[in-house]
Amino acid sequence: MKRPDPAVLRLLIFGGSMIAALVILIVFDSIFMPLLLGLALAYLFDPAVSWFEKKGRSRVTGVIAIALILVLAVTGLVVYIIPAMNDQFEVLRENLPRYTEHLREQAKPLLERLEARFPQAVEEVQRRAVDSLKENFPKLAASIGRRAGRAFSSVLQFVLFLLNLVFVPVFAFYLLVDLPKIKRAASGLIPKPYRELVEERLGEVNSAVASFLRGQLTIALVLATINALGLLILGVPLGLAIGFLAGLANMIPYMALVVGLAPALLLTWAEYQSLPRLLGVIAVFGGAQLLEGTVLSPRILSKSVNLHPVWVLLAIIAGGSLFGFFGMLLAVPVTAAIQVFVGHWLDLYRSSRVYLGPDADQEEPELGS
């Protein structure tokens, strides 16, 4: 009996082990989620810790310095930003009846004209809307209640939830300290005949994914600050929360317009009924998007894989549909990694005889000869 090729056997074992590890992570995602989130934090902050290491400091010193900076940032968020947002929510709650009445008065003439011109269509739309609300609202409320009940039905589950929140920074701390050792250990598991090629490809993937994620996060924070300050200056109700949320939502293409511009325009009109203020809100979001497209993205994302917004949206939808929250977290990094390999496969294809044809070695005649 012929013995299997050792090279093929090594490749099958290595590939099977990677697939098995991925399946385990997907099946037991709730167990490994704190570890994965800690690993994601370690991955994001590794360049900063490595910078401390290059300056002659230990990685522990770098991790502690980064942790202190994050603690100061979170403290500022808790002490200043969250109370300010809470005050805005209180003001919105008090003014909500007045806003509703204003919007109803503004919409009433239009609805009356529509009802006078298309009475049957308007009646049918109203009837369907009411029926749909009656039918789906109890189901939605019951679903939310069931999920909340399952999540916090017992003291043990609530304690586990809190422990998971505590474990994430703990995992991130130890992973950041030992990340070079982890990389060397992982490299040692790659079969030697393929190690150089795999490390080269993984290096390209790491460069692309890391620059893309860190760049997108940096841009989101800058836009969140710009949007929040602009809406605060314009006096938009709930402007601080809307501005920050819109900036962070910018990591998903076009989502800032949904969660930011639309509610900002609606609340501004309900409060002021002023066209100049509406134009000011549009100018804030338009200026932020212009700054991103002309300055931030070209400078910050110049070295990363340029993912088209359509691919980002499809990746997030597919990841969420197939693997839930865990899939949404990994959708964009996985897509960026795939694009690196697709680029190499396209280069191989363009240099192959399938693409060039059987006479590829012959010199092509010049035009006009």
Side-chain angles (χ1 to χ4, degrees), residues 22 25-26 36 40 315 319 323-336:
L22 182 61
L25 288 176
I26 293 173
L36 292 173
F323 306 113
F325 179 71
F326 177 72
M328 293 180 69
L329 285 178
L330 293 180
V332 175
V334 169
T335 305

Side-chain angles (χ1 to χ4, degrees), residues 273-317:
Q273 293 88 49
S274 168
L275 181 60
R277 286 187 184 267
L278 292 180
L279 295 176
V281 171
I282 295 174
V284 168
F285 282 92
Q289 294 298 317
L290 182 65
L291 179 67
E292 180 207 2
T294 58
V295 178
L296 297 178
S297 290
R299 290 181 177 273
I300 296 176
L301 296 179
S302 59
K303 296 181 180 179
S304 69
V305 173
N306 185 21
L307 287 178
H308 194 278
V310 172
W311 292 117
V312 175
L313 287 173
L314 289 176
I316 293 173
I317 293 172

